[in-house]
Every structure is written in structure tokens, then in C-alpha cells.
Amino acid sequence: MTVSPAWEVQEEAGATRWFHVRLAFPDGAGVEALAVVAEGCVSIEDVRAEPALSLDDLSVLADWIEGPLFEACGMDAEDVDEDGEDDPAEGERTTGRRARPAWPRGIEGRWQVAQEYRAAQEEGVDPVLAVMCATGHSRRKSLRLIAQARDAGFLTPRHARRRTD
């Protein structure tokens, strides 16, 4: 496995870093991913695999690359428990290595997406990245959730519509 920095964006409170991750297997299979590390949150933005990954393999991809990503970021061993798992707070799901709060579906989820988005805007940070970290979803899925929150009326329209009278 190789992890190499792609780019970094400095913000007031810290930095957001993107990494190219490449896994090569003895049978010739390979996986390439673009991972984002921000505010202690790891997200996968893009994955390409040959042959295609099964859903089970895709669900554990973050587990495969988490350790090397932490090393590339210079995170200490005390940032992760002895067994490699985060300490889940009450009400958080514990599947996988990184526990995240369970994200509600439907109107409640859209409302929470809008709250995360607005809070990030007020703090002057990237609202899409804030939604990604809060939900644990990819950038594409997070943008879809933001659009659904806009359609539900929880966020203002992205572009003002012009009248064509």
C-alpha cells in the first residue's frame, strides 16, 4: 500500500488534506482511492478498483487505509485506542472501526444536513466538508443530501431565479 499527499488546504483552525491511496494485491487486483482527512475525520471521495469491489470489500475499505492515512497525517498512537477503534459515545453506531453518530433518514436527516451546512458557513469553513464529516458520506452523496435539504426548503436556493417577463 502506498499513501501520497495530493494537496492540502490551510484553514484558520487547521488543514484539510487529500491523499492518493494505492493498494496492490498479489493476484494483480488493485484499488486506487482519493481520501480526505479533516478535523479528525477520514472520508473517501473517489474509488477505482480492478476488478470491481464487492459491497463487503467497499464497506471495509476505510479500515484497510485508515492506519496508513493516520501515519501520513502524523497522528500519534494515542489518537486511536489499543484495538484500533474510536471510543463510541452513547447513541453512536459501532460497526466498522470509526464510530459515527447514526444519521437519520428522511425529513429529519435533511433538517440536520441544513443545520450542519449553516453552522459551517457561520464558522467560515467549507460547508460541504462539514456535511461529509457529520454524515460520513462521500462528497457526491453529501452534495445530494444538501440538494435534498434545499428542495425541502431548509436551505436557500443555490441560484436566484431570474424573471423572464
Side-chain angles (χ1 to χ4, degrees):
M1 176 183 309
T2 59
V3 176
S4 59
W7 64 89
E8 180 175 325
V9 176
Q10 293 288 330
E11 298 173 338
E12 291 176 11
T16 301
R17 300 177 187 163
W18 283 261
F19 293 90
H20 291 288
V21 180
R22 179 172 288 156
L23 292 96
F25 298 95
D27 63 355
V31 177
E32 292 185 25
L34 181 62
V36 180
V37 179
E39 300 175 10
C41 180
V42 176
S43 301
I44 299 173
E45 280 204 6
D46 187 36
V47 176
R48 294 179 188 192
E50 186 61 43
L53 293 175
S54 70
L55 288 176
D56 291 334
D57 289 341
L58 190 57
S59 68
V60 297
L61 179 61
D63 294 338
W64 293 345
I65 67 174
E66 188 174 62
L69 276 174
F70 284 153
E71 289 177 21
C73 290
M75 293 182 74
D76 296 331
E78 58 254 10
D79 291 336
V80 180
D81 282 347
E82 302 153 357
D83 61 356
E85 296 187 17
D86 293 336
D87 288 327
E90 191 167 324
E92 292 182 331
R93 65 179 179 224
T94 57
T95 57
R97 291 175 55 151
R98 295 169 300 149
R100 282 193 192 94
W103 199 260
R105 294 177 176 247
I107 201 76
E108 177 67 22
R110 291 181 187 119
W111 181 80
Q112 286 187 12
V113 163
Q115 296 302 314
E116 288 289 334
Y117 189 92
R118 277 202 235 56
Q121 280 183 322
E122 289 172 7
E123 294 172 10
V125 296
D126 182 3
V128 177
L129 191 59
V131 171
M132 288 171 59
C133 287
T135 62
H137 291 302
S138 69
R139 184 171 193 84
R140 182 176 293 160
K141 176 67 175 176
S142 295
L143 287 169
R144 197 172 306 137
L145 291 172
I146 292 166
Q148 290 171 354
R150 284 187 199 288
D151 292 343
F154 295 125
L155 294 171
T156 59
R158 180 141 173 90
H159 301 289
R161 296 182 185 212
R162 296 184 183 152
R163 294 179 56 163
T164 57
D165 293 327

